Amino acid sequence: MTLSIRGYAAHSATTPLAPHQFERRDPRADDVVIDILYCGVCHSDIHQARNEWGGSQYPLVPGHEIIGRVASVGAEVTGFKPGDMVGVGCMVDSCQHCDACNQGLEQYCKEMPTFTYNSIDRQDGRMTYGGYSERIVVSDKFVLRVPDGVDPKAAAPLLCAGITTWSPLRHWNIGEGHKVAIVGLGGLGHMGLKFAKALGADVTLFTRSPGKEEEARRLGADHVVLSTDPKQMQAVAGHFDFILDTVPHQHDLNPYLATLKLDGVHVLVGLVEPINPPVHAGGLIFGRRSLAGSLIGGIPETQEMLDFCAKHGIGSDVEMITIQDINTAYGRMLNSDVRYRFVIDMASLKNAA
């Protein structure tokens, strides 16, 4: 028996999101049924809704930063019970047997993970639908526990923006004694500042916008460098151990690579392909510098991140909206008019037409 669900969906690449009724699967023995309380709004939701990456299937219900309460659990579920505060991020399944999955790195599943929306359920062939909805059904292996002390509203963006910045910082073992730079102060960048500072690094923000110093320092930056100022860039040449680049569009990487130390690493978490202008090989060779990429994070490290946030009082800076505001919010996001992440109060769905 399937579940009839209310939500908001894109019905084409060119029409606004609108109310939509759809079906979710009958819960399986290992499933957790979650009443959605909050859902973050990610820039990738816009890309998918407007088919900017290709492959969007309509109707498309976006949303992969989901916080809610457990409504019920399947017979085989032992780790969750009704009433628990939980989260669901960008993935709801994977092959669970490849090398990456065996390491808890399901985002790199060799057979591709099943994404929370606009993906095909690998068990029943049904389309997956995201968190702009009242309820979701997810395998317990892909459900995260939200610790006490974490504001559920501020936790929603942690499941994409948060883990996207946390995973590379942890993979490259960033901590005390490291000099770290964050490129860009947006939904991802503000989380990068918070995490790098809490991990003990000396943290710098690279920005193209003058006047962000006070805000950057509030979020954890020890220093701010205006990347359009050649003198400021020259002053930090060969300075950083690690650069986390959160900018989601094409930009010149070469000036940033020049600020890395010997064996420094510049990590991209934005999909900026093709990289243009090209990277100068000399900037890598003379200094044994590395240019790398990182994709969200696995389930174990996402839980680690949530526990770290509870311990250190970290959450995303959010602006709450109703589901009826979603199309306006998309327009504001495209104009960078959000500090720093929109989160939908899904209780507003009850008022949907």
Side-chain angles (χ1 to χ4, degrees):
M1 180 178 179
T2 56
L3 304 177
S4 182
I5 301 294
R6 291 178 299 173
Y8 258 57
H11 290 269
S12 78
T14 57
T15 54
L17 272 66
H20 177 62
Q21 196 88 16
F22 63 100
E23 290 186 345
R24 293 202 186 274
R25 67 172 181 260
D26 182 30
R28 304 167 185 148
D30 65 341
D31 273 339
V32 178
V33 181
I34 302 165
D35 290 329
I36 300 174
L37 301 177
Y38 307 106
C39 186
V41 181
C42 180
H43 204 105
S44 61
D45 296 346
I46 301 177
H47 290 308
Q48 296 264 39
R50 299 183 177 180
N51 199 26
E52 292 171 350
W53 291 340
S56 294
Q57 299 293 312
Y58 300 99
L60 184 150
V61 179
H64 58 205
E65 300 178 344
I66 300 166
I67 298 292
R69 287 196 183 277
V70 175
S72 62
V73 299
E76 296 176 3
V77 176
T78 59
F80 301 98
K81 64 182 185 305
D84 286 347
M85 187 71 71
V86 295
V88 178
C90 301
M91 304 174 289
V92 292
D93 204 357
S94 69
C95 79
Q96 299 178 37
H97 58 71
C98 71
D99 290 345
C101 289
N102 287 335
Q103 295 178 64
L105 298 172
E106 298 90 349
Q107 76 274 32
Y108 301 119
C109 175
K110 290 183 179 178
E111 298 179 15
M112 289 294 292
T114 302
F115 294 108
T116 305
Y117 67 88
N118 197 44
S119 195
I120 300 297
D121 187 301
R122 63 204 319 124
Q123 297 189 48
D124 61 21
R126 296 167 62 95
M127 184 63 66
T128 62
Y129 298 108
Y132 294 11
S133 58
E134 60 186 340
R135 181 172 280 195
I136 193 167
V137 182
V138 183
S139 166
D140 62 345
K141 297 179 182 66
F142 287 80
V143 177
L144 298 145
R145 184 174 301 281
V146 178
D148 292 340
V150 174
D151 180 351
K153 301 181 187 69
L158 297 177
L159 301 176
C160 179
I163 188 57
T164 296
T165 51
W166 173 263
S167 182
L169 289 167
R170 292 294 288 143
H171 177 72
W172 275 276
N173 296 311
I174 298 305
E176 293 184 10
H178 289 126
K179 289 182 169 61
V180 171
I182 309 296
V183 184
L185 185 58
L188 274 66
H190 93 289
M191 291 307 310
L193 290 176
K194 291 184 180 189
F195 284 144
K197 184 64 175 179
L199 287 166
D202 182 81
V203 187
T204 296
L205 173 70
F206 278 127
T207 179
R208 298 175 58 87
S209 304
K212 287 192 175 180
E213 183 165 355
E214 182 178 352
E215 177 70 358
R217 290 185 182 278
R218 179 185 72 82
L219 293 166
D222 299 292
H223 319 280
V224 177
V225 172
L226 191 62
S227 59
T228 54
D229 185 332
K231 290 185 178 179
Q232 291 190 35
M233 293 297 285
Q234 180 58 40
V236 292
H239 182 75
F240 297 107
D241 300 287
F242 184 86
I243 297 174
L244 180 63
D245 191 332
T246 71
V247 176
H249 50 75
Q250 287 183 343
H251 56 289
D252 191 353
L253 305 182
N254 294 290
Y256 300 107
L257 288 167
T259 69
L260 287 173
K261 292 180 179 179
L262 174 67
D263 291 327
V265 181
H266 183 143
V267 178
L268 301 176
V269 294
L271 196 62
V272 299
E273 59 188 5
I275 293 174
N276 188 44
V279 169
H280 301 153
L284 300 176
I285 292 170
F286 292 98
R288 201 164 59 188
R289 301 175 177 121
S290 299
L291 178 62
S294 182
L295 174 69
I296 51 174
I299 298 302
E301 63 185 346
T302 305
Q303 188 63 61
E304 175 193 60
M305 175 207 64
L306 289 170
D307 295 341
F308 183 88
C309 288
K311 181 178 179 180
H312 293 271
I314 294 174
S316 181
D317 286 25
V318 303
E319 179 179 340
M320 300 301 298
I321 62 170
T322 66
I323 191 63
Q324 292 80 7
D325 295 328
I326 189 60
N327 294 299
T328 300
Y330 276 15
R332 287 181 57 192
M333 285 176 66
L334 293 173
N335 291 318
S336 301
D337 181 22
V338 55
R339 294 176 57 186
Y340 285 95
R341 205 72 161 186
F342 287 121
V343 172
I344 307 166
D345 183 347
M346 295 311 303
S348 62
L349 190 58
K350 297 174 183 177
N351 301 318

